[in-house]
Amino acid sequence: MPDAATATPSTRPAVRVAVLMEREATPNRWEDWRFRLADVVLHEDVFGTVPRVLRDDGKTCHTLFPGFTLELFRDEAEGYHLNLSSGAPVWFVVWRIDDEDPSRAWPETVSLSYNEAGRRLDAQERVDNVPLPAELVAWLQAYTDEHYRPEPKRRRRPQSFLPPEQRR
């Protein structure tokens, strides 16, 4: 695992990351602003602790949001498994647009759980994803291998053996 991974005081595996968001001014005649998740990178101390604009040419603005801590939880192991088994593991980022100033947006949370991302999408939240680097795929795979136990498949009794009132 990269140096950025640490064991938090709660002893959960964790990694600190920063989120790079892109804002495009007037991408078309119907939108004043368009936002996009550009990347998620391992946090470095030089990033600091407050968001900062890395580049703004008047049309496109890239803002770095540092200091997110992503912890792995045993009860999300199935979601990690689904992310890994998708063939293209990703970071999931939940982000928001400011209701009072629609030219501002920011990331809220970062996750690796497919199930958590699904719950957020079901709640009508904005969730985007970007590819997970290979070294973090290996880290997540090791955790998932240790903690994920698929539900045993239960044999369904053939409908013909059930009384008529219990048949579906």
Side-chain angles (χ1 to χ4, degrees), residues 77-92 111-115 117 129-133 137 140-141 144 148:
E78 179 184 33
Y80 305 144
H81 169 74
L82 292 171
N83 187 5
L84 290 164
S85 64
S86 71
V90 296
W91 299 103
F92 296 103
S111 176
L112 293 171
S113 171
Y114 184 91
N115 290 346
N129 63 64
V130 291
L132 185 65
V137 169
L140 182 61
Q141 186 69 62
T144 303
Y148 175 61

Side-chain angles (χ1 to χ4, degrees), residues 27-42:
N28 56 54
R29 65 182 180 186
W30 298 280
E31 295 178 292
D32 293 329
W33 307 100
R34 178 182 302 156
F35 296 94
R36 179 180 83 82
L37 171 63
D39 205 357
V40 176
V41 297
L42 292 176

Side-chain angles (χ1 to χ4, degrees), residues 16-35:
R16 290 188 59 208
V17 298
V19 177
L20 182 63
M21 296 285 296
E22 178 183 277
R23 179 188 72 192
E24 183 181 359
T26 55
N28 56 54
R29 65 182 180 186
W30 298 280
E31 295 178 292
D32 293 329
W33 307 100
R34 178 182 302 156
F35 296 94

Side-chain angles (χ1 to χ4, degrees), residues 60-163:
T60 305
C61 177
H62 287 96
T63 305
L64 183 70
F65 295 87
F68 288 89
T69 299
L70 180 137
E71 291 183 294
L72 298 182
F73 296 88
R74 286 179 186 225
D75 60 351
E76 286 293 340
E78 179 184 33
Y80 305 144
H81 169 74
L82 292 171
N83 187 5
L84 290 164
S85 64
S86 71
V90 296
W91 299 103
F92 296 103
V93 177
V94 177
W95 59 278
R96 305 204 189 293
I97 295 177
D98 190 329
D99 291 334
E100 307 207 354
D101 180 3
S103 69
R104 289 182 7 102
W106 62 90
E108 283 281 315
T109 62
V110 180
S111 176
L112 293 171
S113 171
Y114 184 91
N115 290 346
E116 182 179 352
R119 288 189 299 269
R120 297 292 193 125
L121 285 168
D122 288 346
Q124 304 298 308
E125 298 201 51
R126 291 178 177 88
V127 180
D128 286 331
N129 63 64
V130 291
L132 185 65
E135 67 270 13
L136 288 168
V137 169
W139 173 69
L140 182 61
Q141 186 69 62
Y143 182 85
T144 303
D145 290 346
E146 182 179 346
H147 298 288
Y148 175 61
R149 300 292 172 258
E151 293 281 328
K153 294 189 180 196
R154 296 189 179 142
R155 183 174 177 269
R156 286 188 62 187
R157 187 175 187 147
Q159 295 289 310
S160 60
F161 288 105
L162 295 174

